[in-house]
Amino acid sequence: MNYLIDFENVSANFHEMLGELTIQDKIYIFYTDKCQKISLDQLQAIALADWYLIKVCSGQNALDFQLSSYLGYLIAKEVGEKQGFTIVSNDYGYDFVVNFWRKMNITIKVKRDLPSKSKKSNKTTEFEEKFKQLFPDINQSTFEDIVKIVKGKNKKLCDIHNELVQTYGELGKKIYKFAKPHL
């Protein structure tokens, strides 16, 4: 497995998010001047795998773009090999990268730090999981916009339906049909 770590985003606990590593695993840690402290415990946790520190330029989303470019390089380099790719980040912007490669039959996973139960109820998490199974091409930002429409205060069902259809067209009808039992 190739792990690409967005160190700006998950620096404190990325090593806990990886799970069991093997000597075949490769870890690419992308960092900037803003975030370059790695602990000995973190290094010890990844010692079994091959790991590389990749310092990149900083700026708005700069690390994300450089990590995504490097991912493309690794995919091209390892064509024909049975290597997997996992981005370790809490940044939902990588969903676009995952969807892009999915269309080319390349599976990329994104591993995120699991939210605590105090942040999200089980009901919300279950709704989100089912939603993403039915609508895999909808990114996190769009999902959050849909939730705002669906969970809007003092809205009637017909208002929710109309806003979804007006905003998303035919897809809005399908989203409403899915969401209605959860309202």
Side-chain angles (χ1 to χ4, degrees), residues 1 26 36 41 45 72 77 79 86-87 97 100 105 110 159 169:
M1 179 65 67
K26 295 177 186 167
Q36 52 182 323
D41 288 339
K77 182 178 157 188
V79 169
T86 299
I87 298 170
V97 175
F100 172 83
N105 295 318
V110 176
D159 294 334

Side-chain angles (χ1 to χ4, degrees), residues 1-73:
M1 179 65 67
N2 290 288
Y3 293 97
L4 293 91
I5 313 295
D6 179 346
F7 197 69
E8 279 185 334
N9 196 276
V10 293
S11 60
N13 63 339
F14 81 90
H15 59 296
E16 297 168 358
M17 298 167 66
L18 298 177
E20 292 294 320
L21 296 171
T22 70
I23 58 173
Q24 287 84 26
D25 292 327
K26 295 177 186 167
I27 300 171
Y28 303 90
I29 302 171
F30 291 80
Y31 71 100
T32 65
D33 286 331
K34 294 179 182 180
C35 190
Q36 52 182 323
K37 292 181 182 176
I38 190 165
S39 73
L40 293 175
D41 288 339
Q42 290 171 318
L43 290 176
Q44 181 64 37
I46 65 171
L48 187 58
D50 285 338
W51 54 273
Y52 308 90
L53 297 173
I54 302 172
K55 186 174 184 179
V56 297
C57 300
S58 60
Q60 186 173 1
N61 294 320
L63 187 147
D64 303 346
F65 295 135
Q66 292 167 87
L67 185 151
S68 298
S69 295
Y70 200 84
L71 171 64
Y73 162 75

